[in-house]
Amino acid sequence: MTDEPWVRSPIGDRDKDWATLIGDSVLVLAPHIAALARLDDLIPLIEADDRIQRVYAVPECDTWPDVLSELHDRGEIVLPLWQAGRHEHGLVLAGSIRGTDQVRGPVMLVPHGGGFGQYRSSRPSDPEGRDPITGLHPDQLMRDGEVRAETIVLTHDRELELLTRFCPQAVPHALVAGDIAFDRLVASAPFRDHYRKALGVPDDREIVLVTSTWSPRSGFGSNPDLFRHILDALPGDRFQVVATLHPQIWSHHGTGQVLGWLSDSIRSGLTVLAPRTDWRGAVVAADYLMGDFTSVTGFAAGLGTPILRLPHGPQHLLPGSPTAVLAGHSPGWDPGRPLVPQLGAAVEAQSRGLRDRIAGLLTSCPGQAGTVLRSAMYRMLGRSQPARRQPWSPAPLPRISSGPRWFPRDES
């Protein structure tokens, strides 16, 4: 039993007399903001269908307050996991395997970031990283001899090869759909001017987007003065530095604290994307990207943005992954040398065909993820697809953090 109150919702029998429309229940399991962002790309594929009612739940084992805050701010129905588990759902969209054992209904497991199969283990017991941790291991995908998800979404045929190696029992459940996040990034490219205006960048400035994942090994984690160093290395009348941080950084440390750490850089001219804003518009707007092993770096490279890799702590990359290939074919930033020529070296690296190489590793079905996923979702629901054209849209405009931006750049 639980002391949590019952949440009125349009699914199940208890509150059905209050409903206006009765539809199939689609439960969205979002364990953290990064997973929610990826699941958000799938919602437009079904949201206009009046035969469907979506509700959300956050797995109790990994509840981040900002996930609940985001969902409540949007006006979504958020059920306690125990309540969501009392109803048979037509479809469960899961951002990770967490919580799937506690709910009923066919599960579509959707990866976030750059998909499965990006990194090797960094466990202390495996210092050489010989054991690939890909998200495709039997201990993650199976329970009591059964595959936990009816459909396991993969972005690339390379991931199918990994799944065949590590968990062959799950291969019949695999769906190589391509990368819907990358497809939306590509679809956003024609609207570059709109994204630049949303960032408030003057026409005569070039944008250097700096992105960091989380953990002490990350670019920001290993160098807390990262943004100040970059600002000091670039002429402020030519370049605008924009920062986008992994959602885990904001979630775990708190928005106020992170902005406090960045306050000196903000006073010196740094623009910071707000927590929970979509990073893709900033990538489209950027003239250059400086990034560590975060998936955003790979997505930007696949779009054609010149990449200058940030120094970071040790991270075992899986050979053949976009991140690993990018590490071997793009220049790394040397803080001891002038930065502007190094940005020029990043442009040169892109001119040698880096974009096509990385894009070919990000997706095996370029531009098709929405079509493939929509078909699979309706198949799992046991419904025919609506006759209306599949909805598609560019990424939303980025939002800027409300940090102390009123201070002028420090020229001293």
Side-chain angles (χ1 to χ4, degrees):
M1 298 295 292
T2 177
D3 294 330
E4 289 185 85
W6 181 271
V7 175
R8 286 200 181 276
S9 78
I11 65 169
D13 293 333
R14 176 167 171 172
D15 301 318
K16 66 180 182 181
D17 292 342
W18 294 93
T20 300
L21 298 177
I22 306 295
D24 295 332
S25 169
V26 173
L27 174 65
V28 184
L29 280 180
H32 46 71
I33 285 289
L36 177 62
R38 183 54 48 88
L39 294 169
D40 281 345
D41 284 335
L42 275 65
I43 298 305
L45 305 177
I46 58 172
E47 67 179 352
D49 193 334
D50 56 24
R51 302 170 297 173
I52 289 174
Q53 169 68 56
R54 74 175 183 274
V55 294
Y56 291 78
V58 180
E60 296 168 354
C61 61
D62 197 8
T63 301
W64 297 96
D66 57 348
V67 183
L68 295 172
S69 175
E70 173 71 12
L71 292 171
H72 286 305
D73 287 349
R74 296 182 189 179
E76 303 288 359
I77 301 294
V78 184
L79 304 179
L81 195 61
W82 64 267
Q83 182 178 337
R86 290 191 175 186
H87 181 73
E88 182 77 26
H89 302 277
L91 173 64
V92 178
L93 298 176
S96 80
I97 213 67
R98 295 186 181 104
T100 55
D101 292 336
Q102 298 168 264
V103 298
R104 294 180 290 158
V107 174
M108 174 179 279
L109 178 62
V110 183
H112 61 277
F116 297 114
Q118 289 290 309
Y119 310 120
R120 286 186 181 276
S121 170
S122 57
R123 297 172 179 172
S125 60
D126 182 30
E128 301 300 322
R130 291 184 295 268
D131 177 26
I133 302 300
T134 67
L136 300 175
H137 280 237
D139 60 349
Q140 296 168 304
L141 297 180
M142 301 190 67
R143 181 81 76 224
D144 300 325
E146 299 290 331
V147 178
R148 299 166 72 181
E150 179 175 309
T151 301
I152 301 170
V153 176
L154 307 178
T155 63
H156 200 279
D157 292 332
R158 177 181 53 84
E159 295 177 343
L160 184 59
E161 295 173 4
L162 290 170
L163 185 65
T164 302
R165 175 182 173 187
F166 292 113
C167 191
Q169 306 95 316
V171 169
H173 299 260
L175 173 67
V176 179
D179 196 308
I180 193 168
F182 184 62
D183 285 353
R184 286 195 71 192
L185 177 64
V186 173
S188 303
F191 304 96
R192 186 170 189 267
D193 289 345
H194 295 273
Y195 295 123
R196 285 182 59 90
K197 289 178 182 177
L199 293 172
V201 178
D203 293 340
D204 60 350
R205 288 194 188 180
E206 298 173 84
I207 295 177
V208 177
L209 180 64
V210 184
T211 181
S212 174
T213 189
W214 64 281
S215 90
R217 301 185 305 276
S218 68
F220 182 47
S222 61
N223 179 12
D225 292 325
L226 170 69
F227 298 102
R228 183 67 194 215
H229 290 165
I230 293 173
L231 287 164
D232 289 345
L234 293 173
D237 59 351
R238 177 182 168 187
F239 295 96
Q240 178 68 47
V241 182
V242 178
T244 177
L245 299 176
H246 191 284
Q248 177 93 343
I249 298 175
W250 300 103
S251 296
H252 197 64
H253 295 285
T255 298
Q257 178 61 82
V258 175
L259 290 175
W261 288 332
L262 298 177
S263 58
D264 286 345
S265 295
I266 293 173
R267 284 190 287 268
S268 295
L270 178 69
T271 296
V272 182
L273 293 194
R276 311 201 300 255
T277 197
D278 196 301
W279 51 266
R280 284 172 291 199
V283 168
V284 170
D287 296 283
Y288 314 91
L289 183 136
M290 299 177 67
D292 56 13
F293 51 88
T294 176
S295 59
V296 175
T297 307
F299 284 126
L303 187 66
T305 308
I307 303 297
L308 188 61
R309 292 180 293 105
L310 294 175
H312 57 75
Q315 176 64 47
H316 302 293
L317 304 176
L318 202 62
S321 66
T323 310
V325 172
L326 182 60
H329 292 83
S330 60
W333 176 40
D334 180 354
R337 297 192 296 114
L339 177 52
V340 174
Q342 295 184 70
L343 294 176
V347 174
E348 184 180 348
Q350 269 291 10
S351 71
R352 295 194 292 266
L354 184 61
R355 179 189 65 183
D356 292 342
R357 183 167 188 174
I358 298 299
L361 294 171
L362 288 170
T363 173
S364 292
C365 311
Q368 297 301 309
T371 299
V372 175
L373 290 170
R374 191 188 199 205
S375 176
M377 291 162 72
Y378 276 100
R379 172 182 57 79
M380 296 173 72
L381 283 163
R383 291 274 194 177
S384 60
Q385 294 190 51
R388 66 175 68 90
R389 184 175 62 88
Q390 176 180 306
W392 201 244
S393 62
L397 295 175
R399 293 179 292 108
I400 296 173
S401 172
S402 57
R405 291 176 46 80
W406 52 87
F407 290 100
R409 182 183 173 100
D410 183 2
E411 301 292 350
S412 60

